[in-house]
Amino acid sequence: MDSKINPNEIIKAESRFLRGTLRESIVDPVTGALSPDDAQISKFHGFYEQDDRDLRLVRQERFLEPFYSFMLRARLPGGICTPHQWLVIDALGRELGNGSIRLTTRQTFQFHGILKRQLKPLIQRINQAMIDSIGGCGDVNRNVLCNPNPERSGLHAEVHRWAKRISEHLLPKTRAYHEIWLDGEPVAGGESEPIYGETYLPRKFKTAVAIPPHNDVDVYTNDLGFVAIAQEEQLEGFNVLAGGGMGVTHDDTTTFPRLADELGFIRPDQTLAVAEAVVTVQRDFGNRISRRHARLKYTIEKMGLENFKTEVEKRAGVQFEPPRSVRFTTQGDRYGWVRNENGNWHLTLYIENGRVSDSDGSSMMTGLRKIAEIHQGDFRITPNQNLIVAGIADYDKELIDSLARQYGLIADTESPTRLASIACVALPTCPQAMAEAERYFPDLLKKVEHLATQHGIDDSAIVMRMTGCPNGCARPYVAEIGLIGKGPGRYNLQLGGDGTGQRLNRLFRKNLNESELLDTLDRLFRNYSTHRKQDERFGDYVIRSGLVKAVVNPAEDYHATE
Ligand code: SRM
Ligand code: SF4
């Protein structure tokens, strides 16, 4: 094998279709960890090895190994689960996890703090509830996003079926997961991965399906996007997008966030062929030497969009039609009660940073459990880490409303900016975090809200997103205000998203501590309040006023003004 090839490629190739020595690693009593190679393979099964970073130093001083535990992420296309499934998720979070459930920016849930010996029982129990974690992580297609708001229920249901089909079509075919976790019969040989091959993809791969005018899935930030085109609620097909991605490495100008390009329009029956073709082009042309440059966005930059599109058309046996015109007007979630065309009700709940727990005086986890015990519809996790209690009949509305109020689940006092904002997990579980996010963002927001009130702009729903590092898990590069962790207590300030996820922001100030950040926002809010045009968004104002220049071609000009 090429000596320059990334070591992960060798681990995948030698893993016998994702088996590695996981069976041995999980019963090894000497350590709470997996072997290093298995820690890579485990991601394809949906879990990551982590250690509690708050305890790292203390344990080091006592010559103890890090306090290892695992994060497990489920596959839940479009974020939909039944009340029974919610009750299972809730019970497992309390019994085998750290007492919480984390709703993610990709419409699924994670458990944190699982001990190695608890992994198998946990995976078995989610599977008994008909949820799996295959491809929750790893170099394959991840959880497929889909607009979760069933406001237009017929169209939504059809589009959601496509999201589910794409997810299933792009699942790894190896039986390793069933063998290791579900005690399935070992395969006698002759196994293959028709789509992925034995080294899978060069890197993670993400797909989203959007229903305009809502861009809650941030469709342009995905490797592969499908934008539903409908005529009088009938699905006509999809505009296909490719090459979006957020991850950046600080101070490495060869990395950049990128919005997906339009390839063209297809009919629904061409969807799976096109999805598979995009994946196999990435499999064959993606960078297997530098993982930092291995996402589809870099493959497209290297091949050129036209060559990439021609290759996809050839492999899919499809000729793209010119893309249909679409208009997105929103990026976040709509809260509260909504009634759809079937007369059913839906209640969107604000879940701060997606963390469902009963800690800090909150009884959110209990409240959701009480709702799940009586709810007849379903639950939908949104791509903004919130939760929709969906499909509520008229006669259940009052009871669910009163339970939601009793347990403090109705967000009627939150500011518009808070409701439009998200933060990634970061410390203490994320090994990549350079600064706090989830644990710090709510407090920082209080101070930002205070500034907004002082300047009379507290009616503006500014999309503000914080991450503990530049990987971009809360999609901060399409926020109007993005805060990217640089070091303990320090953040880069990015400005200029358009509030609909269709424009990248750009670095405005580097490495700010809290008081520098608040001073800067104070000045920006004052100017915005004085000079904004009617209904002008904050992100549009900073671009119009020349405070930041819009990014035209991220490969060339993203870092230009730093
Ligand atoms: Fe992420 C890695 C959490 C959505 C870009 N992400 C991680 C890890 C697994 C850290 C690690 O490498 O070990 C984080 C686990 C933290 C923890 O303790 O839970 C992590 N990512 C998350 C979640 C939970 C953030 C959240 O607060 O909701 C999201 C889980 C999504 C899911 O359910 O599948 C999450 N991550 C995203 C997104 C947003 C999206 O997909 O819409 C992105 C940006 C989009 C993209 O991929 O370009 C994202 N995560 C990354 C990256 C950078 C990838 C890159 O191309 O450079 C990494 C690091 C990596 O892959 O090496 C990463
Ligand atoms: Fe961790 Fe960075 Fe993702 Fe936040 S953005 S969860 S710190 S990898």
Side-chain angles (χ1 to χ4, degrees):
M1 220 177 234
D2 186 336
S3 61
K4 285 193 302 182
I5 212 86
N6 191 284
N8 279 47
E9 295 300 317
I10 299 163
I11 297 173
K12 286 184 272 182
E14 292 178 350
S15 74
R16 297 171 298 117
F17 295 108
L18 308 181
R19 288 172 179 78
T21 53
L22 266 173
R23 265 186 200 284
E24 292 76 18
S25 261
I26 56 162
V27 292
D28 178 357
V30 175
T31 167
L34 303 172
S35 78
D37 286 5
D38 289 330
Q40 294 305 321
I41 294 302
S42 72
K43 298 180 186 176
F44 293 79
H45 296 248
F47 61 91
Y48 284 78
E49 181 176 296
Q50 303 185 320
D51 72 286
D52 188 326
R53 294 183 55 184
D54 288 347
L55 302 179
R56 248 185 215 177
L57 210 59
V58 178
R59 291 183 68 91
Q60 225 168 12
E61 280 164 9
R62 294 187 192 156
F63 303 102
L64 293 168
E65 77 167 10
F67 187 64
Y68 289 115
S69 68
F70 294 83
M71 175 271 276
L72 183 127
R73 183 185 290 163
R75 184 180 67 94
L76 204 66
I80 299 185
C81 66
T82 63
H84 168 68
Q85 288 172 328
W86 182 269
L87 289 173
V88 174
I89 297 165
D90 166 88
L92 291 173
R94 285 180 292 122
E95 288 167 29
L96 303 182
N98 66 355
S100 76
I101 306 164
R102 181 55 154 74
L103 310 185
T104 77
T105 51
R106 291 198 72 79
Q107 286 187 288
T108 185
F109 60 90
Q110 292 184 171
F111 299 118
H112 288 101
I114 309 154
L115 297 178
K116 188 166 81 167
R117 63 174 183 281
Q118 304 288 17
L119 277 167
K120 191 164 177 176
L122 180 81
I123 295 177
Q124 293 192 330
R125 281 174 65 185
I126 57 166
N127 275 269
Q128 278 158 13
M130 310 295 282
I131 298 175
D132 63 60
S133 57
I134 308 171
C137 328
D139 296 342
V140 288
N141 183 52
R142 303 284 187 91
N143 198 42
V144 177
L145 301 185
C146 181
N147 173 298
N149 196 328
E151 158 207 7
R152 289 146 79 185
S153 65
L155 177 65
H156 177 273
E158 189 177 358
V159 174
H160 177 260
R161 274 196 295 279
W162 279 110
K164 207 159 171 243
R165 267 182 226 159
I166 297 165
S167 173
E168 276 153 19
H169 189 71
L170 297 179
L171 272 179
K173 302 291 179 281
T174 172
R175 297 286 299 164
Y177 184 88
H178 298 85
E179 265 175 40
I180 298 171
W181 310 110
L182 308 177
D183 298 327
E185 285 296 310
V187 178
E191 212 177 10
S192 73
E193 284 283 9
I195 295 181
Y196 292 115
E198 63 172 10
T199 48
Y200 295 83
L201 294 181
R203 205 62 165 87
K204 55 170 64 162
F205 187 92
K206 300 183 171 177
T207 305
V209 187
I211 308 180
H214 304 299
N215 191 19
D216 47 3
V217 297
D218 275 327
V219 67
Y220 295 95
T221 66
N222 282 261
D223 296 271
L224 174 60
F226 293 93
V227 179
I229 306 294
Q231 206 47 269
E232 288 167 13
E233 301 304 297
Q234 292 300 310
L235 180 67
E236 294 199 321
F238 297 102
N239 280 353
V240 181
L241 314 173
M246 297 275 92
V248 177
T249 305
H250 278 314
D251 304 321
D252 178 347
T253 54
T254 64
T255 64
F256 46 86
R258 188 181 191 278
L259 297 183
D261 293 301
E262 273 180 332
L263 298 183
F265 173 82
I266 56 163
R267 294 188 316 271
D269 63 353
Q270 299 172 317
T271 305
L272 297 183
V274 168
E276 183 173 326
V278 171
V279 166
T280 64
V281 175
Q282 162 66 353
R283 178 196 65 197
D284 298 341
F285 292 85
N287 186 332
R288 290 189 187 257
I289 295 169
S290 163
R291 284 180 72 78
R292 204 179 264 192
H293 303 99
R295 294 291 293 274
L296 182 66
K297 60 184 175 182
Y298 300 112
T299 312
I300 292 181
E301 290 291 340
K302 191 179 65 182
M303 290 177 78
L305 184 63
E306 278 314 306
N307 287 341
F308 173 77
K309 184 173 152 184
T310 307
E311 189 64 33
V312 171
E313 288 184 324
K314 193 172 83 191
R315 292 183 183 212
V318 162
Q319 191 89 44
F320 287 111
E321 291 175 32
R324 301 280 170 89
S325 133
V326 290
R327 186 159 176 266
F328 286 110
T329 56
T330 69
Q331 186 171 20
D333 293 333
R334 281 186 318 160
Y335 295 90
W337 287 99
V338 175
R339 192 174 206 182
N340 78 358
E341 63 188 26
N342 294 344
N344 278 336
W345 290 94
H346 313 290
L347 174 62
T348 303
L349 303 171
Y350 169 64
I351 311 289
E352 190 167 72
N353 301 325
R355 183 69 68 177
V356 176
S357 74
D358 275 352
S359 55
D360 297 332
S362 141
S363 46
M364 173 189 289
M365 198 167 185
T366 307
L368 290 173
R369 186 162 65 246
K370 297 284 175 209
I371 291 177
E373 281 164 1
I374 55 128
H375 181 40
Q376 306 288 317
D378 55 39
F379 287 95
R380 293 161 189 237
I381 300 170
T382 81
N384 293 290
Q385 306 168 331
N386 294 311
L387 189 66
I388 306 178
V389 189
I392 303 166
D394 268 334
Y395 51 82
D396 276 340
K397 181 173 179 256
E398 211 179 300
L399 179 55
I400 289 186
D401 189 72
S402 73
L403 281 173
R405 284 181 196 284
Q406 182 185 343
Y407 289 94
L409 292 164
I410 302 275
D412 42 14
T413 55
E414 315 292 344
S415 73
T417 290
R418 187 174 291 259
L419 293 176
S421 298
I422 47 180
C424 74
V425 178
L427 292 161
T429 52
C430 179
Q432 315 258 8
M434 300 169 177
E436 295 280 354
E438 180 188 323
R439 295 197 294 197
Y440 166 57
F441 196 43
D443 282 346
L444 178 74
L445 266 174
K446 267 188 213 144
K447 297 172 186 165
V448 174
E449 283 166 342
H450 180 66
L451 288 178
T453 308
Q454 276 185 327
H455 294 296
I457 57 163
D458 42 358
D459 56 335
S460 305
I462 301 175
V463 176
M464 193 166 168
R465 295 178 173 178
M466 172 180 274
T467 56
C469 85
N471 281 327
C473 298
R475 300 184 290 269
Y477 306 102
V478 285
E480 293 178 276
I481 299 178
L483 296 168
I484 320 282
K486 190 82 170 68
R490 298 221 165 237
Y491 298 86
N492 283 355
L493 171 63
Q494 308 260 144
L495 297 178
D498 66 357
T500 66
Q502 296 177 95
R503 186 171 65 217
L504 288 175
N505 58 24
R506 198 196 276 277
L507 180 64
F508 181 65
R509 293 281 182 269
K510 243 180 177 172
N511 210 23
L512 303 181
N513 64 24
E514 186 183 281
S515 71
E516 291 163 339
L517 175 62
L518 291 172
D519 280 351
T520 311
L521 289 181
D522 188 22
R523 282 196 297 279
L524 288 166
F525 286 179
R526 181 178 311 119
N527 290 340
Y528 170 56
S529 147
T530 316
H531 302 297
R532 66 176 162 171
K533 293 183 178 168
Q534 192 171 2
D535 297 331
E536 187 175 36
R537 295 198 65 103
F538 178 74
D540 291 336
Y541 162 74
V542 295
I543 298 281
R544 181 177 62 79
S545 62
L547 285 165
V548 289
K549 251 173 70 189
V551 178
V552 179
N553 176 352
E556 283 169 11
D557 74 349
Y558 181 70
H559 298 274
T561 57
E562 277 181 53

